[in-house]
Amino acid sequence: MKDLMGLMKQAQEMQQKMSEAQARLDETEVTGESGAGMVRVTLTAKGDMRGVQIDKSMMDPQEPEILEDLIIAAHNDARRKAEEAQREVMKEAAGGLQLPPGMNLPF
């Protein structure tokens, strides 16, 4: 019975840490760049887009494909950074939790 109470307490602590981690992910912002910083995309660590910045020199009506490709590249860069930030926050949230071997978070 003592082990069950300890497990329940540990589960409650983990739930609290995960809630805090989710809030941090909403607040954490990352910026991806392309074209030597001429195009920037800002995302939250959860992947919500917060902003796009485009240098005016990149707006060529004759070649919109270039700008389109740069926006995609900047978004992909930001997404990779957001995924890394997410891994770090979740790793911190799971710190100290004794999981069975081979079991990793997030699930």
Side-chain angles (χ1 to χ4, degrees):
M1 190 64 129
K2 198 178 221 184
D3 289 340
L4 181 59
M5 294 301 287
L7 188 58
M8 299 259 306
K9 183 179 180 196
Q10 192 176 19
Q12 288 174 337
E13 289 172 3
M14 183 63 181
Q15 185 177 18
Q16 177 64 31
K17 286 182 180 181
M18 286 299 171
S19 293
E20 291 169 3
Q22 291 295 323
R24 283 185 28 215
L25 292 174
D26 276 333
E27 297 169 2
T28 301
E29 291 186 352
V30 295
T31 300
E33 298 182 359
S34 65
M38 302 292 265
V39 176
R40 294 184 175 144
V41 173
T42 301
L43 303 176
T44 67
K46 282 188 166 182
D48 296 328
M49 189 177 293
R50 290 277 172 93
V52 176
Q53 296 173 324
I54 302 170
D55 188 280
K56 290 185 188 332
S57 68
M58 300 306 300
M59 297 182 195
D60 182 354
Q62 301 301 316
E63 296 182 359
E65 312 80 31
I66 294 172
L67 181 56
E68 291 165 358
D69 290 343
L70 289 172
I71 292 170
I72 291 168
H75 180 271
N76 289 339
D77 184 41
R79 190 187 70 226
R80 280 189 292 278
K81 291 176 181 178
E83 289 169 355
E84 180 60 32
Q86 199 173 55
R87 276 191 293 276
E88 288 299 315
V89 168
M90 297 311 276
K91 181 179 171 184
E92 289 172 21
L97 179 65
Q98 296 175 9
L99 296 173
M103 189 174 190
N104 297 317
L105 287 176
F107 299 105

